[in-house]
Amino acid sequence: MKKTFFIFVVFWVSFYFRTKVFAQTVDPVIVAGGDIVCNNLNTNYSSTTCHQKFTADTISWINPTAVLTLGDNQYPDGLLTDYYNYYDKTWGLFKNITYPSPGNHDYHTSGGSGYYSYFGERAGDPTKGYYSFDIGSWHLISLNGEIDHSTGSQQVAWLRQDLAAHNNVCTLGYWHEPRFSSGSLHGSNSGVAPLFQAMYDYKADVVLNGHDHLYERFAPQNPFGVKEESRGVREFVVGNAGKSLYSFGSYLPTSEKGYNGGYGVLKLTLHPTSYDWQLIKDDPAHTVIDSGSGTCIGAEQVSQTPTPTPTLTPTPSLTPTPTPTLTPTPTATPTPTPSQTFTPIPIGGGDACGNGNVNIEDLKCVLQNWLAKLNNSVDQFQDGRINALDFSVVLKSLKAGVTPTSMPTPTSSLTPTPTPLPELTNKITYTASSIDFANPERGFMKQSSVFVDQTLDLAKVRALQPSDTLVWIYFRLDNYRDQRDDYGVQPLTDYHGKLLDQAALNTIEKVFDTARDRGLKLVIRFVYNPGPKSSSDPLKVNPDVPLSLVLDHIEQLKPALQNNMDVIAAMQAGFVGHWGEWHSSKYLNNLESRKKITDTLLTVLPSERMILLRYPRYEQVFYGGPIPEAQAFTGTNLSRIGIHDDAFLKDDTDDGTFKSNAAGTKISTYCDNSSVGETQCWKNFVYQNSRYSPFGGEASYDNPPRTSCYSTDVSSPGAIAQMENMHWSFINNGFNTTVLNRWVDEGCMPDIRRRLGYRLEIKEAFLPEKLLPGNSLSVSVSLKNSGFASMYNFRPVYLVLQSNNNRYELKLDNIDPRKWESGKSYVINSSVNLPISVVPGTYKLALWMPDSSDSLKNKPAYSVRFANFDIWDEVLGFNILDPDILVQ
Amino acid sequence: MVMNYPKLFQNKIVMILVLSFLVVAAFSLSILIRQEQSLKSVPMVEKKDGVIEMKKALVDGAPVFPIFPDSAIHKSYKKTVDEKMEFLVIYEVDEEVPVIVSWYNKNAAVSGWTVVQNSDFPDAKDEQILLLRNNKYNLTLVVKDNETDGKTLISTEFLPL
């Protein structure tokens, strides 16, 4: 007993000395902030602006190795006198460890003369203003967004050379204006894309910016604003370092944290292969607003290499102390979960704590790491940071001898209230969710070309983002067409009769199998000629194949199309002309050929799936559309025709999509006498047709305000309005990136991501409080479709009773969710008989909308998720209406 | 009177160690509690993607607030944050920052708004911020010289009380 007590005491004392006195690791700490100093000496903390003194005090408290300024260092004009009168008295205290970058206000003086005069050699060559240096094992690059930074600029060339020449595991770049920002006053800036692109190309880890007067942290992302957790660049906007604070507009999809509730600086601890960040407020308590850790992209290659010696010593006055080798001996034994083992953490290296400074964060960090080993779910609030609230939860749970779970209980958002209905006594209201999540057969899709006669690269069958579920596959038949175009492979002499070989058919099957394995569905198209590199020689121009060979190929494809119907979301007619887009064809220009191809596809493809034509005029002239409500989903040829638009917003007609003629020839007279004009008439055709069939495609060239998110121009109301009108279900996320970036920059991309296709939200439900075997189970569920479109492929709707041991699937007849149209609300009133054999007990009551095919029915990735908080069970793929219903 | 402490505690070294442990433990606990309280009290604006509507016109339901003469709406937002409706309206106008701020100081009260905190630097030409309030909203008014086009931006963010 005495010995144990001694060990206990020695542990705590050594623990204290380690964390409070000798806490020394050699990993350097840097501080960054932008938009900093006003031209006054404000000392009033309650002032809404000009907090430079207080952020400087915060830096003093952090005691960093280096300070990075992110531009707009001295307001309003970067005058040298202001630098000396104001900057020098606050942030100037750290001038000898400052690595500045300039902002637009610093360049109000000619050539940034005040900025360069004040910082001298620290700002690099005054004719350039960009430079790089190493801190610890990291390579840091200060860039100048106030001079030419275009793709072909001297600065970008230098940046790429510098990145190529430095193979540090971790790299950080910084400049003033952010590529991505959710700020309302400035927002994203595509002008700095060449800088971000270079950082991404060379696998840099972190980018720091200012300009928007707020703090925002992004997930690692690529230059197009798409999240790439293991490969992307993590951007921080730290524009809240003193001057003023701005509001947020729409949060970008990759934004992980936003804060404009006060001023602060970003503290980064640069470990050899990783980094920790903290946004520290400028208040006296040095409140940590945001914190977390990231791993450098190149870390995997060097995880076993020794720590490089830092080139800068963090705190020269303190001597690093060898790490104590004591192991803590817990005084109380927590109860681990069966899958967890308790491993005491040595107090010392490897815990990512400590920064060369003595502060409470070290103590907290060590304790958190220790507790994290006890339980992997410390971050109770799942907000990306482990804070005192999480900490207290863990402490409480340890005290209570229970293991905290990271899963919120569904009951938290379910609010049962009394109801006057006699049978359904339990009224539950549900909270809508605005997050972007995956759902089958809708959303952004990656476009991939699969050459059927070549080895399949499985990476082509993948989604780019977790919320994407569709892949747009062009099955390329280049080597089966007429090759006399002087391009592509060598001319073939037997092209007219060249059928698909078995290897090609196997490749096609492999694509479908891969999609099925990965929880994806496909929008497919077959393409002979990728255009537009066609010869001007009439014998060689626009090569595809004669009709007879198209039909032979379709017949060959029939088994693959029928066997894999489950993972085909929709099929585009394809085959004809450039990119299979029904223009520029050598052999297939006449209407009869095109109709024959469409008719054949409708025969070959299972009747549960639809064919998309490129132009509505062909649908109208072939089958008499648009689809009337009475004919929707009836299986007739017309009811199975949708449209794809591959020139979205290019011009008023979407590059001829909404025209009656093709290459000067009248195809349809449907709109000839329309009172609204030809173009609007065809748009109206699509508005109606797409209520009952899929509509999708890709954006064309940027053409604002037509391509803008919103427009006040009645004739071109912007992307959102057109997507609503035409009921867009899916769109290419790779083209046209200028338009896609515009939607990111203008802030509507989150809305588009959420609303493509269907988005179903349960409003409320009336449910029974308890059930009796053999009796009926009646429910009334109110829902709304807030997506751009409705579903286009049928799927069944079930009620599921699920307990730990039993599951009962009760299909609701006469419900067709394809008829839940965009923007409308519906009520499911259903009653089903509960089997007499139901085992009494407590069950979850769930709404389940699986895929209609047996092969996918039990795969959660193919089930429909509703847009509500806390009802989705991702393991079972259903939506929990009531987590706790009693069967007596 | 002699207290009968356990033998172990009659050792002075042990007593010192125990006392030092207690001091450290108390100190650590107090700081953690303080931090927790501090975290709770921070007026954090977390990332919550609650934008319901964004327009280049005025969104429906935006609070009534004086509009500086000849201002044009740059864009406006309607958001839900913590189940409350927030509004952000940004105007642009050809006028200098101090003139606009002075105008709002005179005209805000007419529509039932009270200036809670005036600009600390009323002569600043690049940017000024006012805090206002009525019986429903706190309003942050940012008036900023937008150097890219020479216009002045007026940002009005309405947060429900």
Side-chain angles (χ1 to χ4, degrees):
Chain A
M1 179 66 192
K2 183 177 175 182
K3 190 176 176 182
T4 304
F5 182 78
F6 263 116
I7 291 171
F8 175 73
V9 169
V10 168
F11 156 64
W12 274 104
V13 171
S14 65
F15 179 72
Y16 170 76
F17 278 98
R18 188 272 171 193
T19 55
K20 296 301 295 177
V21 180
F22 298 118
Q24 296 300 313
T25 65
V26 291
D27 295 337
V29 170
I30 64 171
V31 161
D35 308 279
I36 308 169
V37 179
C38 299
N39 57 343
N40 61 56
L41 294 171
N42 179 41
T43 56
N44 177 12
Y45 185 78
S46 64
S47 175
T48 53
T49 57
C50 305
H51 271 230
Q52 61 270 13
K53 173 194 179 307
F54 305 101
T55 52
D57 290 347
T58 305
I59 298 174
S60 291
W61 177 77
I62 295 170
N63 188 23
T65 303
V67 173
L68 315 183
T69 73
L70 307 177
D72 284 0
N73 310 301
Q74 177 63 62
Y75 282 88
D77 300 315
L79 297 174
L80 181 60
T81 51
D82 284 348
Y83 263 106
Y84 277 112
N85 288 334
Y86 308 112
Y87 186 97
D88 199 55
K89 292 179 170 56
T90 52
W91 281 53
L93 299 173
F94 321 106
K95 185 176 176 183
N96 64 341
I97 57 167
T98 294
Y99 297 83
S101 69
N104 49 304
H105 282 265
D106 298 308
Y107 264 69
H108 281 191
T109 58
S110 177
S113 60
Y115 167 83
Y116 289 107
S117 296
Y118 176 75
F119 284 111
E121 291 180 352
R122 301 207 68 85
D125 180 346
T127 64
K128 296 175 179 172
Y130 48 87
Y131 58 97
S132 69
F133 54 102
D134 283 356
I135 292 181
S137 58
W138 282 62
H139 187 58
L140 287 81
I141 309 170
S142 173
L143 295 166
N144 185 353
E146 309 312 312
I147 63 170
D148 188 5
H149 52 273
S150 59
T151 302
S153 66
Q154 191 179 6
Q155 180 172 202
V156 171
W158 171 87
L159 171 60
R160 288 181 172 275
Q161 286 173 2
D162 185 80
L163 287 163
H166 292 84
N167 59 354
N168 304 52
V169 174
C170 303
T171 302
L172 179 153
Y174 59 104
W175 62 90
H176 184 54
E177 298 197 19
R179 173 65 190 89
F180 301 102
S181 168
S182 305
S184 63
L185 286 180
H186 291 308
S188 300
N189 181 358
S190 56
V192 296
L195 301 179
F196 198 96
Q197 182 74 51
M199 302 298 286
Y200 174 81
D201 289 345
Y202 287 89
K203 298 183 179 177
D205 302 286
V206 175
V207 160
L208 306 177
N209 306 113
H211 199 48
D212 254 323
H213 295 193
L214 42 79
Y215 170 79
E216 188 168 21
R217 166 168 55 84
F218 289 87
Q221 60 188 316
N222 68 21
F224 303 120
V226 176
K227 185 176 178 179
E228 287 190 15
E229 195 63 54
S230 60
R231 169 70 176 81
V233 183
R234 185 188 292 282
E235 180 195 297
F236 294 86
V237 178
V238 195
N240 62 335
K243 177 62 170 68
S244 59
L245 298 170
Y246 296 163
S247 303
F248 285 95
S250 299
Y251 281 102
L252 299 176
T254 47
S255 177
E256 289 187 334
K257 175 87 175 185
Y259 176 72
N260 66 350
Y263 297 88
V265 292
L266 183 68
K267 171 187 170 187
L268 288 171
T269 304
L270 307 181
H271 303 302
T273 59
S274 64
Y275 57 99
D276 304 329
W277 70 82
Q278 290 184 322
L279 176 69
I280 300 181
K281 198 165 188 272
D282 68 342
D283 60 1
H286 310 298
T287 306
V288 177
I289 300 297
D290 181 33
S291 63
S293 298
T295 303
C296 297
I297 296 169
E300 288 180 5
Q301 302 158 13
V302 293
S303 58
Q304 301 304 316
T305 57
T307 305
T309 306
T311 54
L312 296 175
T313 308
T315 47
S317 60
L318 295 174
T319 307
T321 304
T323 306
T325 55
L326 285 173
T327 302
T329 307
T331 55
T333 307
T335 309
T337 58
S339 61
Q340 293 171 326
T341 53
F342 171 61
T343 308
I345 302 171
I347 297 178
D351 60 1
C353 299
N355 52 22
N357 304 294
V358 181
N359 60 43
I360 190 60
E361 291 306 314
D362 286 349
L363 170 62
K364 187 178 156 191
C365 181
V366 170
L367 281 170
Q368 284 169 347
N369 277 348
W370 186 38
L371 288 163
K373 288 286 182 181
L374 297 176
N375 187 312
N376 288 328
S377 58
V378 172
D379 186 6
Q380 291 294 298
F381 297 91
Q382 296 188 310
D383 55 3
R385 70 173 188 275
I386 299 168
N387 59 28
L389 296 173
D390 299 311
F391 185 62
S392 64
V393 170
V394 174
L395 285 176
K396 285 173 190 169
S397 65
L398 287 174
K399 186 179 175 185
V402 297
T403 304
T405 63
S406 58
M407 186 71 134
T409 54
T411 50
S412 61
S413 68
L414 304 180
T415 314
T417 53
T419 170
L421 292 181
E423 290 179 320
L424 306 175
T425 54
N426 195 10
K427 177 186 175 185
I428 301 178
T429 56
Y430 301 84
T431 307
S433 162
S434 61
I435 64 171
D436 173 40
F437 53 81
N439 251 332
E441 301 177 336
R442 58 157 295 276
F444 275 92
M445 52 186 182
K446 171 181 165 54
Q447 194 277 322
S448 287
S449 283
V450 172
F451 293 83
V452 301
D453 57 337
Q454 297 177 17
T455 303
L456 174 61
D457 176 3
L458 294 179
K460 295 199 169 187
V461 189
R462 67 185 170 93
L464 287 183
Q465 292 220 42
S467 59
D468 297 347
T469 62
L470 283 173
V471 187
W472 189 8
I473 296 289
Y474 287 4
F475 287 113
R476 296 283 293 273
L477 309 176
D478 302 31
N479 291 342
Y480 301 87
R481 73 175 194 227
D482 182 346
Q483 294 295 331
R484 294 176 300 178
D485 65 345
D486 295 338
Y487 293 93
V489 299
Q490 292 301 308
L492 302 173
T493 55
D494 59 347
Y495 67 91
H496 282 298
K498 187 170 172 58
L499 295 172
L500 303 176
D501 44 50
Q502 190 57 46
L505 296 171
N506 291 345
T507 299
I508 292 167
E509 288 280 358
K510 182 70 174 171
V511 170
F512 289 127
D513 289 344
T514 306
R516 193 177 293 106
D517 289 344
R518 295 179 177 179
L520 302 168
K521 289 209 179 193
L522 308 177
V523 174
I524 60 170
R525 176 197 296 185
F526 290 85
V527 178
Y528 290 114
N529 179 10
K533 291 179 179 177
S534 286
S535 168
S536 58
D537 181 341
L539 288 176
K540 300 177 180 178
V541 73
N542 301 330
D544 39 25
V545 301
L547 176 63
S548 60
L549 186 52
V550 181
L551 299 179
D552 287 344
H553 285 162
I554 293 175
E555 188 62 26
Q556 283 188 287
L557 293 167
K558 183 176 178 179
L561 296 176
Q562 296 194 338
N563 293 339
N564 298 288
M565 185 267 284
D566 57 346
V567 289
I568 296 174
M571 180 176 186
Q572 298 176 337
F575 292 105
V576 177
H578 286 183
W579 296 110
E581 291 183 10
W582 284 44
H583 60 80
S584 313
S585 168
K586 181 174 181 179
Y587 296 102
L588 304 167
N589 279 320
N590 68 72
L591 273 181
E592 291 73 21
S593 295
R594 295 185 176 194
K595 182 166 191 302
K596 182 65 178 173
I597 290 171
T598 313
D599 286 344
T600 307
L601 287 174
L602 285 167
T603 306
V604 167
L605 191 70
S607 60
E608 294 92 332
R609 290 295 179 266
M610 298 195 190
I611 299 289
L612 309 188
L613 296 176
R614 174 65 185 84
Y615 301 97
R617 54 182 173 265
Y618 293 107
E619 177 185 353
Q620 198 283 322
V621 76
F622 292 166
Y623 307 109
I627 305 168
E629 183 174 2
Q631 205 175 140
F633 312 118
T634 55
T636 63
N637 281 346
L638 174 60
S639 73
R640 293 178 60 204
I641 298 293
I643 303 296
H644 65 97
D645 179 355
D646 299 341
F648 183 45
L649 301 174
K650 181 177 182 181
D651 53 32
D652 192 37
T653 68
D654 285 10
D655 203 20
T657 302
F658 307 112
K659 287 178 75 72
S660 302
N661 291 11
T665 301
K666 176 70 63 78
I667 304 299
S668 167
T669 58
Y670 176 79
C671 289
D672 280 4
N673 299 312
S674 170
S675 60
V676 295
E678 178 185 338
T679 302
Q680 190 58 49
C681 171
W682 284 114
K683 287 181 179 175
N684 291 345
F685 180 102
V686 168
Y687 297 167
Q688 168 66 20
N689 204 73
S690 55
R691 290 173 64 189
Y692 310 116
S693 63
F695 189 88
E698 66 186 7
S700 186
Y701 298 101
D702 195 25
N703 183 18
R706 192 178 306 282
T707 43
S708 295
C709 294
Y710 306 93
S711 168
T712 53
D713 184 347
V714 175
S715 66
S716 57
I720 293 284
Q722 287 292 39
M723 286 184 159
E724 285 176 346
N725 291 336
M726 296 182 186
H727 308 108
W728 277 75
S729 279
F730 38 76
I731 191 167
N732 184 358
N733 59 3
F735 190 85
N736 180 303
T737 53
T738 307
V739 176
L740 300 177
N741 280 331
R742 172 178 294 284
W743 296 343
V744 171
D745 293 344
E746 293 183 5
C748 67
M749 185 58 96
D751 196 30
I752 293 173
R753 289 203 70 88
R754 282 190 296 263
R755 297 181 63 199
L756 278 168
Y758 59 91
R759 185 178 177 89
L760 304 175
E761 171 192 316
I762 303 177
K763 295 292 187 185
E764 64 181 20
F766 290 93
L767 308 172
E769 284 192 333
K770 51 194 169 188
L771 303 171
L772 289 172
N775 283 20
S776 65
L777 162 56
S778 299
V779 299
S780 176
V781 181
S782 301
L783 58 89
K784 181 180 180 182
N785 182 0
S786 59
F788 291 140
S790 50
M791 295 178 194
Y792 47 88
N793 291 329
F794 177 78
R795 62 178 59 235
V797 181
Y798 289 84
L799 289 175
V800 173
L801 284 170
Q802 177 84 49
S803 70
N804 290 337
N805 303 314
N806 298 295
R807 176 186 173 99
Y808 303 95
E809 298 170 2
L810 309 164
K811 190 174 180 183
L812 303 182
D813 294 327
N814 304 317
I815 292 180
D816 187 346
R818 293 176 296 184
K819 295 181 178 176
W820 297 342
E821 290 192 51
S822 168
K824 296 182 181 177
S825 297
Y826 297 87
V827 179
I828 300 172
N829 284 318
S830 279
S831 186
V832 288
N833 287 327
L834 207 57
I836 193 73
S837 57
V838 170
V839 177
T842 301
Y843 288 80
K844 291 174 183 171
L845 175 62
L847 198 60
W848 184 39
M849 295 179 64
D851 196 272
S852 61
S853 64
D854 290 341
S855 57
L856 306 180
K857 180 181 176 184
N858 291 308
K859 292 189 173 185
Y862 292 99
S863 294
V864 169
R865 174 179 174 176
F866 282 75
N868 295 91
F869 281 116
D870 298 336
I871 71 168
W872 176 242
D873 186 321
E874 63 182 5
V875 175
L876 299 172
F878 58 41
N879 304 276
I880 300 169
L881 295 174
D882 188 338
D884 190 18
I885 192 165
L886 181 66
V887 177
Q888 289 186 326
Chain B
M1 186 176 173
V2 178
M3 298 288 286
N4 288 325
Y5 293 110
K7 268 190 174 180
L8 186 63
F9 290 92
Q10 292 175 19
N11 185 318
K12 286 183 180 175
I13 295 173
V14 172
M15 282 297 289
I16 291 168
L17 287 172
V18 169
L19 285 173
S20 67
F21 161 70
L22 291 173
V23 168
V24 171
F27 173 72
S28 304
L29 194 61
S30 68
I31 287 183
L32 283 172
I33 290 169
R34 246 193 353 251
Q35 281 218 333
E36 181 172 345
Q37 289 170 341
S38 170
L39 280 170
K40 282 177 176 173
S41 63
V42 170
M44 292 170 71
V45 180
E46 297 281 356
K47 172 192 164 350
K48 289 192 175 173
D49 202 346
V51 172
I52 296 171
E53 190 177 8
M54 185 192 111
K55 278 184 179 176
K56 295 204 171 184
L58 194 64
V59 291
D60 294 338
V64 176
F65 184 66
I67 299 174
F68 187 80
D70 300 325
S71 302
I73 293 180
H74 182 60
K75 53 189 169 183
S76 67
Y77 301 82
K78 184 194 286 186
K79 315 177 184 184
T80 52
V81 177
D82 295 334
E83 299 180 353
K84 291 182 176 178
M85 197 70 76
E86 295 184 3
F87 295 90
L88 172 63
V89 187
I90 300 172
Y91 304 89
E92 57 185 11
V93 66
D94 289 315
E95 189 50 272
E96 290 192 341
V97 171
V99 175
I100 297 170
V101 171
S102 173
W103 186 88
Y104 275 110
N105 266 313
K106 290 175 186 168
N107 290 278
V110 176
S111 302
W113 291 87
T114 305
V115 177
V116 177
Q117 186 167 350
N118 211 330
S119 170
D120 296 303
F121 310 101
D123 298 327
K125 290 183 178 175
D126 62 330
E127 189 174 77
Q128 292 190 38
I129 296 179
L130 299 182
L131 302 180
L132 301 98
R133 181 182 295 167
N134 71 0
N135 58 352
K136 289 184 179 174
Y137 293 95
N138 281 321
L139 165 61
T140 303
L141 178 76
V142 178
V143 185
K144 176 188 184 312
D145 171 31
N146 188 25
E147 62 183 52
T148 55
D149 60 6
K151 291 184 181 295
T152 301
L153 293 175
I154 304 170
S155 168
T156 56
E157 185 175 36
F158 300 88
L159 306 179
L161 294 175

